[in-house]
Amino acid sequence: QMIKQNLKMLILTIPGERIMEPNFGVGLNTYLFSNYNENVNSSIKAKILQQVQIYLPAIRIVNVAFENFIDTNSLKVIIQYSIPDVNVNDLLEITI
């Protein structure tokens, strides 16, 4: 549960928001009102993979999927991940 919470915080933290770690975070909320196209999903996925590799190396991202709700201006990110050291597979869903 702690690793899942750490992953959630990494995804939601805006870079520059964490003291002494200016590059920490994906800043998922910052993508919410950008002009939506497929490049946005690719950018979010790349940022998630990069940040997890740097700050949470015990986690292996299996898949990142997106559901867009244009009528309600929301974005759902579904991250399937595993923790090989303890043989755990889990799913994290975040809707902004």
Side-chain angles (χ1 to χ4, degrees), residues 19-38:
I19 297 173
M20 303 295 286
E21 288 285 350
N23 297 321
F24 180 88
V26 174
L28 188 60
N29 291 338
T30 61
Y31 292 95
L32 185 58
F33 294 106
S34 60
N35 291 329
Y36 179 76
N37 58 39
E38 284 301 315

Side-chain angles (χ1 to χ4, degrees), residues 2 22 33 52 54 67 73 75 86:
M2 186 172 72
F33 294 106
V52 167
I54 295 169
E67 292 181 17
N73 293 326
L75 173 67
V86 290

Side-chain angles (χ1 to χ4, degrees), residues 4-31 44 47-48 50-52 55-56 79 92 94 96:
K4 188 172 191 173
Q5 183 64 26
N6 288 342
L7 178 59
K8 183 177 178 182
M9 290 297 102
L10 181 68
I11 303 300
L12 294 176
T13 300
I14 299 169
E17 183 176 10
R18 190 167 181 184
I19 297 173
M20 303 295 286
E21 288 285 350
N23 297 321
F24 180 88
V26 174
L28 188 60
N29 291 338
T30 61
Y31 292 95
I44 294 171
K47 187 76 171 179
I48 290 171
Q50 174 196 37
Q51 291 289 303
V52 167
Y55 295 104
L56 298 172
I79 302 169
L92 174 65
I94 300 174
I96 57 166

Side-chain angles (χ1 to χ4, degrees), residues 32-94:
L32 185 58
F33 294 106
S34 60
N35 291 329
Y36 179 76
N37 58 39
E38 284 301 315
N39 293 334
V40 172
N41 287 354
S42 297
S43 177
I44 294 171
K45 182 176 181 178
K47 187 76 171 179
I48 290 171
L49 294 174
Q50 174 196 37
Q51 291 289 303
V52 167
Q53 184 178 15
I54 295 169
Y55 295 104
L56 298 172
I59 295 176
R60 186 176 71 81
I61 301 295
V62 176
N63 189 34
V64 179
F66 301 91
E67 292 181 17
N68 302 315
F69 306 103
I70 296 172
D71 57 331
T72 59
N73 293 326
S74 62
L75 173 67
K76 183 176 189 177
V77 180
I78 305 160
I79 302 169
Q80 182 181 3
Y81 66 94
S82 67
I83 308 166
D85 292 343
V86 290
N87 199 24
V88 171
N89 294 307
D90 203 356
L91 194 68
L92 174 65
E93 296 183 19
I94 300 174

